[in-house]
């Protein structure tokens, strides 16, 4: 029975060298969100979008899980069946650190899907729009990523877990993207204790019962210990 629900964002992977979105030199300061993280942008220029995600897939493959990812994997091992990680991140650093119960609500760099038939499959290092779909052979391949305006994955499972949670922890997220940014309110309504662990106060820090600020690689192991 899940008792501890943990929401992670780009900040937990920052010390593994993967860019965040809204920090000073973040991804959205270098790329136009509308061009690379919306279905309309993909329809306009699939090659640009694939280039954006191929670069992030290469970076993620070279990145190493940090002490924060490792601490969450230790927590799950110590509390079998009680810990769920809901990540907004599309990297696989939680899994590579040893976490097993992970839901990628915004999709995964390691997956591709077919815009024609919806079939999903493990992505090779490089994806291109004309990569043929293994199921229907259409050349309409897209990264298996949830873009702005698309419905996040696993929402029913996420809301059920939050309703049953005793503790909700948000790590490394600015609280600027919905519906993830509202999970803390859902958790409080369910009676859970809520804790923010972030480099600095997020946009939703006032929704949390408790907040600790600092680098994830320091404050997450200290919290798990
Ligand atoms: C949807 C693609 C319908 C993958 C992403 C109200 C209700 C519902 C929807 C909306 C709403 N208002 C607006 C919307 C629409 C929209 C939205 O939220 N827009 C925003 C801009 C206002 N939402 C959507 O379209 C979503 N779909 O709503 O469907 C629906 C409605 C209701 C219920 C269900 C469904 C789809 C959103 C998904 C979009 N895809 N990315 C990719 O390219 O990666 S979002 C993108 O932002 C990433 O996924 C990322 O994870 C996410 C959130 O960003 P963060 O992870 O928080 O990263 P950020 O850089 O912002 O912050 C990093 C934080 O870390 C900072 O606070 C920093 O201080 C901290 N940090 C940095 N270093 C460290 C650190 N902390 C600790 N240690 C460190 N070392």
């Amino acid at each position: 029975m899940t008792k501890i629900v943990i929401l992670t964002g780009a900040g937990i992977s920052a010390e593994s060298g993967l860019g965040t979105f809204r920090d000073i030199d973040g991804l959205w300061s270098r790329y136009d969100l509308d061009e690379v993280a919306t279905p309309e942008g993909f329809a306009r220029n699939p090659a640009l979008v694939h280039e954006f995600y191929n670069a992030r897939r290469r970076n993620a493959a070279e990145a190493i899980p940090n002490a924060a990812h490792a601490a969450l994997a230790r927590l799950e091992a110590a509390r079998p069946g009680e810990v769920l990680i809901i990540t907004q991140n599309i990297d696989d650093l939680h899994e590579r650190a040893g976490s097993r119960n992970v839901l990628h609500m915004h999709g995964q760099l390691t997956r591709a899907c077919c815009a024609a038939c919806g079939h999903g499959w493990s992505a090779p290092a490089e994806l291109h729009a004309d990569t043929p779909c293994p199921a229907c052979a259409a050349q309409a391949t897209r990264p298996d990523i949830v873009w702005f305006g698309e419905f996040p994955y696993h929402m029913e499972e996420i809301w059920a877990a939050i309703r049953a949670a005793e503790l909700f922890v948000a790590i490394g997220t600015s609280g600027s993207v919905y519906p993830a940014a509202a999970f803390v309110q859902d958790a409080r309504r369910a009676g859970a204790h809520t804790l923010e662990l972030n480099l600095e106060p997020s946009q939703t820090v006032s929704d949390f019962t408790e907040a600790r600020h600092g680098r994830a690689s320091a404050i997450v192991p200290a919290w798990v210990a």
Side-chain angles (χ1 to χ4, degrees):
M1 165 84 158
T2 299
K3 292 183 179 174
I4 302 172
V5 173
I6 299 166
L7 172 69
T8 63
I12 199 171
S13 298
E15 291 164 88
S16 296
L18 296 185
T20 63
F21 292 87
R22 296 167 186 85
D23 287 326
I24 300 300
D25 59 348
L27 283 163
W28 297 151
S29 66
R30 287 178 278 133
Y31 287 90
D32 179 348
L33 176 157
D34 292 323
E35 293 309 309
V36 294
T38 62
E40 296 79 9
F42 182 70
R44 275 193 297 276
N45 190 341
L48 172 68
V49 175
H50 274 300
E51 179 190 312
F52 175 64
Y53 285 102
N54 287 340
R56 290 180 63 195
R57 192 174 296 108
R58 279 193 299 276
N59 293 343
E62 290 160 9
I64 297 168
N66 64 56
H69 298 104
L72 296 186
R74 282 199 308 276
L75 177 67
E76 181 183 325
R79 308 274 300 260
E82 293 187 6
V83 178
L84 169 66
I85 293 175
I86 302 164
T87 188
Q88 301 171 91
N89 298 339
I90 59 177
D91 62 60
D92 60 351
L93 294 180
H94 284 303
E95 291 86 348
R96 286 164 52 199
S99 290
R100 292 287 165 269
N101 201 13
V102 181
L103 294 178
H104 286 267
M105 65 179 292
H106 292 165
Q108 297 172 258
L109 280 168
T110 55
R111 305 254 331 141
C113 70
C114 175
C117 75
H119 176 69
W121 70 96
S122 290
E126 295 255 329
L127 274 182
H128 301 280
D130 60 2
T131 301
C133 169
C136 75
Q139 294 185 334
T141 293
R142 57 169 281 178
D144 191 5
I145 301 291
V146 176
W147 287 322
F148 288 97
E150 297 187 318
F151 207 96
Y153 286 140
H154 310 296
M155 288 312 300
E156 290 313 314
E157 191 175 351
I158 287 169
W159 277 319
I162 290 173
R163 281 195 294 270
E166 294 173 1
L167 174 61
F168 176 83
V169 187
I171 302 173
T173 183
S174 62
S176 54
V177 171
Y178 290 82
F183 289 168
V184 56
Q185 295 166 21
D186 302 327
R188 288 189 66 144
R189 272 196 290 276
H193 180 76
T194 54
L195 168 63
E196 171 176 283
L197 299 177
N198 203 54
L199 186 64
E200 60 201 1
S202 75
Q203 291 182 25
T204 55
V205 65
S206 58
D207 293 333
F208 288 83
T209 322
E210 183 189 359
R212 300 179 198 174
H213 297 123
R215 287 181 300 104
S217 64
I219 63 176
V220 176
W223 166 66
V224 167

